[in-house]
Amino acid sequence: QVQLVESGGGLVQAGGSLRLSCTASGRTFSSYAMAWFRQAPGKGRDFVAVISSSGVSTFYADSAKGRFTISRDNAKKTVFLQITSLKPEDTAVYYCAAGTYGGIAELFGSWGQGTQVTVST
């Protein structure tokens, strides 16, 4: 397993942009697919995007297509989530996870502690 630490969240106005980062410890980062999930207040944890271990393949939730971009830097053991044109409904705790390529939480065995993103009107 790997240990994951997210950063980059914060309070931003609607229409703004953020880049979330998730840095891993351990030597096996490059062998894992990495994903982002989010959990809005009072709701369950939803899949946002996943990237394959090599970075070649990506897959997005329908709600994330067009405004969210996942990327990774294996040399820096970091995965990123770029979000543009932020909307109030993007307000959530964003979690990164390491595991097997796919779009469900059960595929991921290692999770970060989350970073809060709050979008104001």
Side-chain angles (χ1 to χ4, degrees):
Q1 290 192 343
V2 293
Q3 286 72 50
L4 304 171
V5 178
E6 300 98 333
S7 61
L11 175 64
V12 63
Q13 286 190 327
S17 299
L18 277 178
R19 188 174 82 155
L20 307 182
S21 300
C22 171
T23 301
S25 61
R27 296 182 296 174
T28 59
F29 174 79
S30 61
S31 66
Y32 291 101
M34 297 296 297
W36 288 94
F37 289 76
R38 67 183 181 180
Q39 187 166 16
K43 297 188 177 180
R45 192 169 297 188
D46 293 329
F47 168 74
V48 175
V50 62
I51 188 167
S52 63
S53 58
S54 66
V56 169
S57 299
T58 59
F59 178 72
Y60 296 88
D62 286 343
S63 60
K65 292 177 181 177
R67 296 190 299 116
F68 291 66
T69 304
I70 189 171
S71 61
R72 68 189 295 162
D73 184 334
N74 282 346
K76 296 182 178 179
K77 300 180 182 179
T78 301
V79 61
F80 304 98
L81 185 69
Q82 179 75 41
I83 315 172
T84 61
S85 302
L86 278 155
K87 304 176 181 181
E89 51 263 44
D90 294 321
T91 295
V93 178
Y94 285 71
Y95 298 91
C96 71
T100 303
Y101 190 80
I104 59 174
E106 289 76 9
L107 293 173
F108 298 89
S110 297
W111 293 80
Q113 82 290 347
T115 187
Q116 176 72 48
V117 172
T118 303
V119 183
S120 64
T121 55

